[in-house]
Amino acid sequence: MTDREALTALQNSLDRPSAARVYDYLLGGTRNYAIDREFAEKVQSVLPIIGPAARTCRQFLGRAVRHCVASGITQFVDLGSGLPTEGNVHEVADAAAEGGITRVVYVDNEPVALAHSQVLLADTADPERHRAIGGDLLEARDVWRTVQDTGVIDPDRPVGLVINAVLHFIEDDREPAAALNFYRSRLAPGSMLVLSHVTTENPSDEAERRAMEDTEALYEGTTHPGLSRNAEELARFFGDWEIVEPGIVYAPAWHPDKHTLSKDRPARTRVLAGVGRKPGA
């Protein structure tokens, strides 16, 4: 069965909204289905900021990848990469570093997302430098072994490890901190960790608090129920790594540029973000 045939078979078996496909829809993508679009519209009617929040996550990803490249990092592992859409890591990295020197491995455990990524890379990317593999980021040892087996990433050189808009779908009892500890231990000095996470801390008023609670309840019916963490809880995922200035902040406040949405009211997005750097380089 070809990649495209496998993708068609997967599409025919969908019966619940997917957080990855809902995110794709909120970003204006086309790799989503009626069940995802209906769910996204329902969520937006309850919490209108969710669309701008999704775009904020994506914009932060681009700025963070460019920062990594400017810091000398030319290889990336994107865990929980989701569906390919505008501003994929390999596209941003290739544009930021001349000469086709960047390398990217995408990892996702959702079959539809993986199949789409493989089709995209087969059509538009360099198979020597860009790869999409299946894996659950919580199965850290297996994922890291598979990443190394691709031959794309040199473990002796710094890596940009990206986990963008993913951790808010992983409860603490599934031990995401242990997985992050493992990845950090395997990365070379000078590596960077890029994280973003939804928060419901300090709602602007009672109506927004109720809207966020209702949104969380809606996500219970998707493939990936969600949760909130605050800045202190997000900081723990960086371990003892140095947090790059300006620290853990609302995403639009992290090195904003002329394209950054909500930079005049960054807290309105309810998306926290930060980048950590492994010492010792």
Side-chain angles (χ1 to χ4, degrees), residues 10-11 22 38 44 59 68 78 90 104 108 123 126 129 147 162 182 187 200 205 228 237 243 248 263 266-267 278:
L10 288 166
Q11 290 170 346
V22 170
E38 291 168 6
Q44 288 188 107
Q59 288 187 334
C68 289
D78 187 352
H90 75 281
V104 180
D108 205 279
D123 288 347
D126 179 351
R129 297 188 296 117
V147 167
V162 175
F182 178 85
L187 294 172
T200 58
D205 53 32
S228 167
F237 291 119
I243 307 297
I248 296 175
K263 58 185 173 185
K278 187 168 185 174

PDB file of all heavy atoms in Angstrom, residues 10-11 22 38 44 59 68 78 90 104 108 123 126 129 147 162 182 187 200 205 228 237 243 248 263 266-267 278:
ATOM      1  N   LEU A  10      -7.027   5.635   6.269  1.00  0.00           N
ATOM      2  CA  LEU A  10      -7.127   6.241   7.598  1.00  0.00           C
ATOM      3  C   LEU A  10      -8.251   7.266   7.649  1.00  0.00           C
ATOM      4  O   LEU A  10      -9.000   7.344   8.617  1.00  0.00           O
ATOM      5  CB  LEU A  10      -5.793   6.898   7.959  1.00  0.00           C
ATOM      6  CG  LEU A  10      -4.642   5.954   8.283  1.00  0.00           C
ATOM      7  CD1 LEU A  10      -3.331   6.715   8.269  1.00  0.00           C
ATOM      8  CD2 LEU A  10      -4.859   5.284   9.622  1.00  0.00           C
ATOM      9  N   GLN A  11      -8.379   8.052   6.602  1.00  0.00           N
ATOM     10  CA  GLN A  11      -9.413   9.078   6.556  1.00  0.00           C
ATOM     11  C   GLN A  11     -10.808   8.469   6.646  1.00  0.00           C
ATOM     12  O   GLN A  11     -11.724   9.040   7.245  1.00  0.00           O
ATOM     13  CB  GLN A  11      -9.283   9.888   5.264  1.00  0.00           C
ATOM     14  CG  GLN A  11      -8.038  10.772   5.240  1.00  0.00           C
ATOM     15  CD  GLN A  11      -7.796  11.371   3.878  1.00  0.00           C
ATOM     16  OE1 GLN A  11      -8.380  10.950   2.871  1.00  0.00           O
ATOM     17  NE2 GLN A  11      -6.935  12.367   3.819  1.00  0.00           N
ATOM     18  N   VAL A  22      -8.016  19.723  14.362  1.00  0.00           N
ATOM     19  CA  VAL A  22      -8.686  20.945  14.803  1.00  0.00           C
ATOM     20  C   VAL A  22      -7.695  22.105  14.779  1.00  0.00           C
ATOM     21  O   VAL A  22      -8.010  23.208  14.319  1.00  0.00           O
ATOM     22  CB  VAL A  22      -9.292  20.763  16.210  1.00  0.00           C
ATOM     23  CG1 VAL A  22      -9.768  22.098  16.778  1.00  0.00           C
ATOM     24  CG2 VAL A  22     -10.452  19.770  16.164  1.00  0.00           C
ATOM     25  N   GLU A  38     -16.579  21.117  12.475  1.00  0.00           N
ATOM     26  CA  GLU A  38     -17.760  21.356  13.313  1.00  0.00           C
ATOM     27  C   GLU A  38     -17.356  21.553  14.770  1.00  0.00           C
ATOM     28  O   GLU A  38     -17.877  22.439  15.467  1.00  0.00           O
ATOM     29  CB  GLU A  38     -18.729  20.180  13.181  1.00  0.00           C
ATOM     30  CG  GLU A  38     -19.386  20.096  11.813  1.00  0.00           C
ATOM     31  CD  GLU A  38     -20.114  18.778  11.600  1.00  0.00           C
ATOM     32  OE1 GLU A  38     -20.198  17.989  12.567  1.00  0.00           O
ATOM     33  OE2 GLU A  38     -20.584  18.542  10.465  1.00  0.00           O
ATOM     34  N   GLN A  44     -14.908  27.680  19.039  1.00  0.00           N
ATOM     35  CA  GLN A  44     -14.733  29.121  18.808  1.00  0.00           C
ATOM     36  C   GLN A  44     -15.941  29.921  19.261  1.00  0.00           C
ATOM     37  O   GLN A  44     -15.803  31.073  19.689  1.00  0.00           O
ATOM     38  CB  GLN A  44     -14.443  29.387  17.332  1.00  0.00           C
ATOM     39  CG  GLN A  44     -13.057  28.945  16.907  1.00  0.00           C
ATOM     40  CD  GLN A  44     -12.710  29.382  15.501  1.00  0.00           C
ATOM     41  OE1 GLN A  44     -11.903  30.283  15.293  1.00  0.00           O
ATOM     42  NE2 GLN A  44     -13.313  28.733  14.517  1.00  0.00           N
ATOM     43  N   GLN A  59       3.210  31.059  15.249  1.00  0.00           N
ATOM     44  CA  GLN A  59       4.146  32.155  15.063  1.00  0.00           C
ATOM     45  C   GLN A  59       5.329  32.033  16.028  1.00  0.00           C
ATOM     46  O   GLN A  59       6.476  32.285  15.641  1.00  0.00           O
ATOM     47  CB  GLN A  59       3.441  33.494  15.283  1.00  0.00           C
ATOM     48  CG  GLN A  59       2.489  33.877  14.161  1.00  0.00           C
ATOM     49  CD  GLN A  59       1.953  35.288  14.345  1.00  0.00           C
ATOM     50  OE1 GLN A  59       1.883  35.812  15.462  1.00  0.00           O
ATOM     51  NE2 GLN A  59       1.559  35.914  13.250  1.00  0.00           N
ATOM     52  N   CYS A  68      16.990  29.591  17.203  1.00  0.00           N
ATOM     53  CA  CYS A  68      17.904  28.444  17.295  1.00  0.00           C
ATOM     54  C   CYS A  68      18.940  28.482  16.187  1.00  0.00           C
ATOM     55  O   CYS A  68      20.139  28.264  16.428  1.00  0.00           O
ATOM     56  CB  CYS A  68      17.118  27.141  17.242  1.00  0.00           C
ATOM     57  SG  CYS A  68      16.135  26.765  18.708  1.00  0.00           S
ATOM     58  N   ASP A  78      11.225  17.529  16.035  1.00  0.00           N
ATOM     59  CA  ASP A  78       9.912  18.099  16.348  1.00  0.00           C
ATOM     60  C   ASP A  78       9.024  16.978  16.871  1.00  0.00           C
ATOM     61  O   ASP A  78       8.544  16.140  16.107  1.00  0.00           O
ATOM     62  CB  ASP A  78       9.326  18.736  15.088  1.00  0.00           C
ATOM     63  CG  ASP A  78       8.034  19.516  15.351  1.00  0.00           C
ATOM     64  OD1 ASP A  78       7.505  19.434  16.480  1.00  0.00           O
ATOM     65  OD2 ASP A  78       7.572  20.197  14.417  1.00  0.00           O
ATOM     66  N   HIS A  90      11.087  22.483   9.028  1.00  0.00           N
ATOM     67  CA  HIS A  90      12.130  22.399   8.009  1.00  0.00           C
ATOM     68  C   HIS A  90      12.081  23.580   7.048  1.00  0.00           C
ATOM     69  O   HIS A  90      13.117  24.029   6.550  1.00  0.00           O
ATOM     70  CB  HIS A  90      12.058  21.062   7.250  1.00  0.00           C
ATOM     71  CG  HIS A  90      10.952  20.945   6.265  1.00  0.00           C
ATOM     72  ND1 HIS A  90       9.647  20.671   6.624  1.00  0.00           N
ATOM     73  CD2 HIS A  90      10.943  21.050   4.899  1.00  0.00           C
ATOM     74  CE1 HIS A  90       8.890  20.604   5.547  1.00  0.00           C
ATOM     75  NE2 HIS A  90       9.652  20.833   4.489  1.00  0.00           N
ATOM     76  N   VAL A 104      15.930  17.913   9.868  1.00  0.00           N
ATOM     77  CA  VAL A 104      14.749  17.867  10.729  1.00  0.00           C
ATOM     78  C   VAL A 104      14.153  16.467  10.728  1.00  0.00           C
ATOM     79  O   VAL A 104      13.991  15.858   9.658  1.00  0.00           O
ATOM     80  CB  VAL A 104      13.666  18.871  10.262  1.00  0.00           C
ATOM     81  CG1 VAL A 104      12.446  18.799  11.184  1.00  0.00           C
ATOM     82  CG2 VAL A 104      14.219  20.298  10.223  1.00  0.00           C
ATOM     83  N   ASP A 108       5.400  11.900  15.281  1.00  0.00           N
ATOM     84  CA  ASP A 108       4.008  12.000  15.733  1.00  0.00           C
ATOM     85  C   ASP A 108       3.421  10.606  15.866  1.00  0.00           C
ATOM     86  O   ASP A 108       3.815   9.687  15.125  1.00  0.00           O
ATOM     87  CB  ASP A 108       3.166  12.835  14.764  1.00  0.00           C
ATOM     88  CG  ASP A 108       1.956  13.450  15.457  1.00  0.00           C
ATOM     89  OD1 ASP A 108       0.941  12.746  15.625  1.00  0.00           O
ATOM     90  OD2 ASP A 108       2.033  14.628  15.846  1.00  0.00           O
ATOM     91  N   ASP A 123       7.099  14.835  -1.355  1.00  0.00           N
ATOM     92  CA  ASP A 123       6.832  15.720  -2.487  1.00  0.00           C
ATOM     93  C   ASP A 123       7.715  16.964  -2.526  1.00  0.00           C
ATOM     94  O   ASP A 123       8.021  17.485  -3.600  1.00  0.00           O
ATOM     95  CB  ASP A 123       5.365  16.171  -2.464  1.00  0.00           C
ATOM     96  CG  ASP A 123       4.402  15.046  -2.844  1.00  0.00           C
ATOM     97  OD1 ASP A 123       4.881  14.017  -3.348  1.00  0.00           O
ATOM     98  OD2 ASP A 123       3.185  15.208  -2.621  1.00  0.00           O
ATOM     99  N   ASP A 126      13.895  17.236   1.169  1.00  0.00           N
ATOM    100  CA  ASP A 126      15.089  16.466   0.847  1.00  0.00           C
ATOM    101  C   ASP A 126      15.122  15.244   1.767  1.00  0.00           C
ATOM    102  O   ASP A 126      15.314  15.385   2.973  1.00  0.00           O
ATOM    103  CB  ASP A 126      16.320  17.338   1.072  1.00  0.00           C
ATOM    104  CG  ASP A 126      17.629  16.624   0.787  1.00  0.00           C
ATOM    105  OD1 ASP A 126      17.613  15.401   0.574  1.00  0.00           O
ATOM    106  OD2 ASP A 126      18.674  17.295   0.790  1.00  0.00           O
ATOM    107  N   ARG A 129      17.745  14.925   4.404  1.00  0.00           N
ATOM    108  CA  ARG A 129      17.802  15.873   5.526  1.00  0.00           C
ATOM    109  C   ARG A 129      16.508  15.964   6.319  1.00  0.00           C
ATOM    110  O   ARG A 129      16.499  16.497   7.428  1.00  0.00           O
ATOM    111  CB  ARG A 129      18.138  17.273   5.003  1.00  0.00           C
ATOM    112  CG  ARG A 129      19.488  17.394   4.338  1.00  0.00           C
ATOM    113  CD  ARG A 129      19.822  18.849   4.032  1.00  0.00           C
ATOM    114  NE  ARG A 129      18.915  19.468   3.073  1.00  0.00           N
ATOM    115  CZ  ARG A 129      18.133  20.494   3.346  1.00  0.00           C
ATOM    116  NH1 ARG A 129      18.103  21.032   4.553  1.00  0.00           N
ATOM    117  NH2 ARG A 129      17.355  21.009   2.400  1.00  0.00           N
ATOM    118  N   VAL A 147      14.807   7.968  16.152  1.00  0.00           N
ATOM    119  CA  VAL A 147      15.377   9.201  15.605  1.00  0.00           C
ATOM    120  C   VAL A 147      16.818   8.958  15.179  1.00  0.00           C
ATOM    121  O   VAL A 147      17.239   9.336  14.074  1.00  0.00           O
ATOM    122  CB  VAL A 147      15.300  10.345  16.645  1.00  0.00           C
ATOM    123  CG1 VAL A 147      16.166  11.528  16.201  1.00  0.00           C
ATOM    124  CG2 VAL A 147      13.854  10.800  16.839  1.00  0.00           C
ATOM    125  N   VAL A 162      11.820  20.498  19.675  1.00  0.00           N
ATOM    126  CA  VAL A 162      10.589  21.286  19.618  1.00  0.00           C
ATOM    127  C   VAL A 162       9.420  20.454  20.133  1.00  0.00           C
ATOM    128  O   VAL A 162       9.181  19.335  19.658  1.00  0.00           O
ATOM    129  CB  VAL A 162      10.309  21.733  18.167  1.00  0.00           C
ATOM    130  CG1 VAL A 162       8.963  22.441  18.073  1.00  0.00           C
ATOM    131  CG2 VAL A 162      11.438  22.620  17.651  1.00  0.00           C
ATOM    132  N   PHE A 182      14.542  12.527  30.058  1.00  0.00           N
ATOM    133  CA  PHE A 182      15.327  11.624  29.217  1.00  0.00           C
ATOM    134  C   PHE A 182      15.868  12.359  27.992  1.00  0.00           C
ATOM    135  O   PHE A 182      17.057  12.257  27.673  1.00  0.00           O
ATOM    136  CB  PHE A 182      14.480  10.427  28.785  1.00  0.00           C
ATOM    137  CG  PHE A 182      15.211   9.485  27.869  1.00  0.00           C
ATOM    138  CD1 PHE A 182      16.025   8.487  28.377  1.00  0.00           C
ATOM    139  CD2 PHE A 182      15.104   9.622  26.491  1.00  0.00           C
ATOM    140  CE1 PHE A 182      16.724   7.640  27.529  1.00  0.00           C
ATOM    141  CE2 PHE A 182      15.788   8.769  25.633  1.00  0.00           C
ATOM    142  CZ  PHE A 182      16.595   7.782  26.160  1.00  0.00           C
ATOM    143  N   LEU A 187      20.668  15.073  24.860  1.00  0.00           N
ATOM    144  CA  LEU A 187      21.045  16.149  23.947  1.00  0.00           C
ATOM    145  C   LEU A 187      22.407  16.731  24.296  1.00  0.00           C
ATOM    146  O   LEU A 187      22.780  16.830  25.464  1.00  0.00           O
ATOM    147  CB  LEU A 187      19.981  17.254  23.977  1.00  0.00           C
ATOM    148  CG  LEU A 187      18.610  16.834  23.432  1.00  0.00           C
ATOM    149  CD1 LEU A 187      17.588  17.920  23.693  1.00  0.00           C
ATOM    150  CD2 LEU A 187      18.689  16.508  21.949  1.00  0.00           C
ATOM    151  N   THR A 200      -4.838  28.529  31.652  1.00  0.00           N
ATOM    152  CA  THR A 200      -6.090  29.199  32.026  1.00  0.00           C
ATOM    153  C   THR A 200      -5.880  30.051  33.271  1.00  0.00           C
ATOM    154  O   THR A 200      -6.828  30.447  33.927  1.00  0.00           O
ATOM    155  CB  THR A 200      -7.214  28.177  32.266  1.00  0.00           C
ATOM    156  OG1 THR A 200      -6.810  27.262  33.305  1.00  0.00           O
ATOM    157  CG2 THR A 200      -7.535  27.399  31.002  1.00  0.00           C
ATOM    158  N   ASP A 205     -12.019  37.644  33.332  1.00  0.00           N
ATOM    159  CA  ASP A 205     -13.248  37.835  34.101  1.00  0.00           C
ATOM    160  C   ASP A 205     -13.924  36.480  34.295  1.00  0.00           C
ATOM    161  O   ASP A 205     -13.440  35.447  33.818  1.00  0.00           O
ATOM    162  CB  ASP A 205     -14.193  38.821  33.404  1.00  0.00           C
ATOM    163  CG  ASP A 205     -14.474  38.462  31.952  1.00  0.00           C
ATOM    164  OD1 ASP A 205     -14.492  37.249  31.620  1.00  0.00           O
ATOM    165  OD2 ASP A 205     -14.683  39.374  31.146  1.00  0.00           O
ATOM    166  N   SER A 228      -4.599  22.641  31.531  1.00  0.00           N
ATOM    167  CA  SER A 228      -3.839  23.871  31.672  1.00  0.00           C
ATOM    168  C   SER A 228      -2.671  23.671  32.629  1.00  0.00           C
ATOM    169  O   SER A 228      -2.732  22.862  33.550  1.00  0.00           O
ATOM    170  CB  SER A 228      -4.754  24.977  32.221  1.00  0.00           C
ATOM    171  OG  SER A 228      -4.014  26.099  32.652  1.00  0.00           O
ATOM    172  N   PHE A 237       9.607  21.579  33.090  1.00  0.00           N
ATOM    173  CA  PHE A 237       9.975  20.754  31.942  1.00  0.00           C
ATOM    174  C   PHE A 237      11.359  21.115  31.392  1.00  0.00           C
ATOM    175  O   PHE A 237      11.939  20.351  30.631  1.00  0.00           O
ATOM    176  CB  PHE A 237       8.931  20.865  30.836  1.00  0.00           C
ATOM    177  CG  PHE A 237       7.603  20.227  31.187  1.00  0.00           C
ATOM    178  CD1 PHE A 237       6.441  20.982  31.243  1.00  0.00           C
ATOM    179  CD2 PHE A 237       7.519  18.874  31.463  1.00  0.00           C
ATOM    180  CE1 PHE A 237       5.224  20.399  31.557  1.00  0.00           C
ATOM    181  CE2 PHE A 237       6.305  18.278  31.788  1.00  0.00           C
ATOM    182  CZ  PHE A 237       5.153  19.046  31.830  1.00  0.00           C
ATOM    183  N   ILE A 243      16.990  29.301  30.980  1.00  0.00           N
ATOM    184  CA  ILE A 243      15.857  29.803  30.203  1.00  0.00           C
ATOM    185  C   ILE A 243      16.303  31.051  29.450  1.00  0.00           C
ATOM    186  O   ILE A 243      16.766  32.022  30.042  1.00  0.00           O
ATOM    187  CB  ILE A 243      14.651  30.135  31.100  1.00  0.00           C
ATOM    188  CG1 ILE A 243      14.287  28.932  31.986  1.00  0.00           C
ATOM    189  CG2 ILE A 243      13.452  30.557  30.245  1.00  0.00           C
ATOM    190  CD1 ILE A 243      13.849  27.710  31.231  1.00  0.00           C
ATOM    191  N   ILE A 248       9.955  32.553  30.530  1.00  0.00           N
ATOM    192  CA  ILE A 248       8.662  31.957  30.179  1.00  0.00           C
ATOM    193  C   ILE A 248       7.619  33.056  30.240  1.00  0.00           C
ATOM    194  O   ILE A 248       7.332  33.608  31.310  1.00  0.00           O
ATOM    195  CB  ILE A 248       8.315  30.793  31.115  1.00  0.00           C
ATOM    196  CG1 ILE A 248       9.345  29.673  30.945  1.00  0.00           C
ATOM    197  CG2 ILE A 248       6.901  30.273  30.825  1.00  0.00           C
ATOM    198  CD1 ILE A 248       9.180  28.523  31.914  1.00  0.00           C
ATOM    199  N   LYS A 263       0.675  41.215  20.195  1.00  0.00           N
ATOM    200  CA  LYS A 263       1.844  41.635  20.981  1.00  0.00           C
ATOM    201  C   LYS A 263       1.524  42.823  21.885  1.00  0.00           C
ATOM    202  O   LYS A 263       2.261  43.091  22.834  1.00  0.00           O
ATOM    203  CB  LYS A 263       3.028  41.944  20.076  1.00  0.00           C
ATOM    204  CG  LYS A 263       2.815  43.013  19.034  1.00  0.00           C
ATOM    205  CD  LYS A 263       4.056  43.098  18.152  1.00  0.00           C
ATOM    206  CE  LYS A 263       3.831  44.035  16.973  1.00  0.00           C
ATOM    207  NZ  LYS A 263       4.996  44.035  16.054  1.00  0.00           N
ATOM    208  N   PRO A 266      -0.409  40.405  25.054  1.00  0.00           N
ATOM    209  CA  PRO A 266       0.041  39.008  24.945  1.00  0.00           C
ATOM    210  C   PRO A 266      -0.703  38.039  25.846  1.00  0.00           C
ATOM    211  O   PRO A 266      -0.935  36.895  25.459  1.00  0.00           O
ATOM    212  CB  PRO A 266       1.534  39.085  25.312  1.00  0.00           C
ATOM    213  CG  PRO A 266       1.711  40.380  26.012  1.00  0.00           C
ATOM    214  CD  PRO A 266       0.700  41.310  25.437  1.00  0.00           C
ATOM    215  N   ALA A 267      -1.102  38.467  27.044  1.00  0.00           N
ATOM    216  CA  ALA A 267      -1.795  37.559  27.966  1.00  0.00           C
ATOM    217  C   ALA A 267      -3.144  37.120  27.419  1.00  0.00           C
ATOM    218  O   ALA A 267      -3.672  36.081  27.824  1.00  0.00           O
ATOM    219  CB  ALA A 267      -1.971  38.234  29.325  1.00  0.00           C
ATOM    220  N   LYS A 278      20.784  24.075  26.949  1.00  0.00           N
ATOM    221  CA  LYS A 278      21.583  23.187  27.780  1.00  0.00           C
ATOM    222  C   LYS A 278      22.963  23.778  28.008  1.00  0.00           C
ATOM    223  O   LYS A 278      23.655  24.137  27.054  1.00  0.00           O
ATOM    224  CB  LYS A 278      21.714  21.810  27.108  1.00  0.00           C
ATOM    225  CG  LYS A 278      22.394  20.776  28.012  1.00  0.00           C
ATOM    226  CD  LYS A 278      22.264  19.382  27.461  1.00  0.00           C
ATOM    227  CE  LYS A 278      22.833  18.340  28.433  1.00  0.00           C
ATOM    228  NZ  LYS A 278      22.589  16.953  27.986  1.00  0.00           N
TER     229      LYS A 278
END
